[in-house]
Amino acid sequence: MARPREFEIDEAVAKAVEVFWEKGYEGAALPDLLEGMGIARGSLYKAFGDKKQLYLQALSRYDGTAVTEAVEMLTDDTQPDGAKRIARLFDSIVNAVRKGDRRGCLMCNAAAGPASKDADIARAVAAMLKRMTSGFAAAIRASDYKNKSKRLEVEAAARSLTTAYIGLRILAKAGESVAHLQAVAKNTVSKLTT
């Protein structure tokens, strides 16, 4: 008779997110994951298969939490001005750094690293980036850019904002100053409104 699982899968994946977020995919060695998740080697392999499958589950969890939170911020119609939604999202990055969080973004870290080497990870990252771009597009459509003489092409602008978001998160992880991050965020948003 098989022994019952001694841990909750969701809790273990949540802990794996933290390890991967802190150390990166390549940097998270098996002992780091086992210690961080509080499980044995056999349990990891039995529940997740291998490190890559665990990473894909961690990315999925991150998508369902952090990416969903960002998209909800961008599509929140209780704030009628989409430019303010975008500003709030960029400000949240700066505020996280102010509080000492320099981990960047797990999605952005994956995009800049293992997604370039693995098709499955690349697909997971692409799906998250597509959701972010859709969120930015919704915010742009809710902004007053339509009333400006300079018209934006929504999808191109949304892709540019996704790129700026990734850049800001990577700059935060790289140790850029709060003042620099604030200036980048302000400049990015001002291009929408001026």
Side-chain angles (χ1 to χ4, degrees):
M1 180 155 81
R3 288 179 30 200
R5 185 174 288 135
E6 297 175 7
F7 64 93
E8 288 293 322
I9 293 284
D10 290 341
E11 183 180 322
V13 172
K15 290 176 180 176
V17 166
E18 296 301 318
V19 175
F20 285 126
W21 204 352
E22 185 69 32
K23 296 186 175 281
Y25 178 65
E26 288 87 5
L30 187 58
D32 298 322
L33 290 163
L34 297 175
E35 182 181 338
M37 296 167 69
I39 63 174
R41 180 184 302 257
S43 296
L44 184 141
Y45 289 120
K46 186 174 181 179
F48 304 106
D50 60 19
K51 178 180 169 180
K52 176 183 161 182
Q53 294 308 311
L54 174 60
Y55 188 65
L56 289 170
Q57 287 195 36
L59 287 174
S60 178
R61 180 175 178 81
Y62 188 82
D63 183 29
T65 56
V67 174
T68 293
E69 182 180 320
V71 170
E72 287 174 352
M73 194 179 296
L74 292 168
T75 58
D76 178 11
D77 59 9
T78 62
Q79 170 51 262
D81 183 352
K84 288 184 179 174
R85 296 178 199 169
I86 295 166
R88 188 172 59 184
L89 177 62
F90 282 101
D91 287 345
S92 72
I93 297 167
V94 175
N95 289 334
V97 171
R98 248 191 215 107
K99 294 176 183 173
D101 185 351
R102 290 246 179 215
R103 296 176 297 174
C105 163
L106 188 63
M107 171 189 70
C108 300
N109 298 346
S116 68
K117 300 173 191 161
D118 185 283
D120 295 325
I121 295 171
R123 275 190 291 280
V125 169
M128 287 187 275
L129 291 173
K130 184 176 181 179
R131 291 185 63 221
M132 289 294 298
T133 300
S134 294
F136 280 119
I140 291 167
R141 285 188 195 97
S143 73
D144 67 351
Y145 83 90
K146 295 175 191 170
N147 300 325
K148 307 284 185 196
S149 60
K150 179 179 163 186
R151 298 205 176 261
L152 296 173
E153 199 282 314
V154 173
E155 290 306 314
R159 285 191 297 274
S160 292
L161 285 168
T162 301
T163 302
Y165 175 86
I166 293 167
L168 192 62
R169 297 297 295 238
I170 290 173
L171 287 172
K173 183 173 179 145
E176 282 291 341
S177 70
V178 169
H180 180 77
L181 297 173
Q182 262 180 317
V184 169
K186 183 178 179 181
N187 185 47
T188 301
V189 175
S190 73
K191 293 201 184 310
L192 261 186
T193 56
T194 57

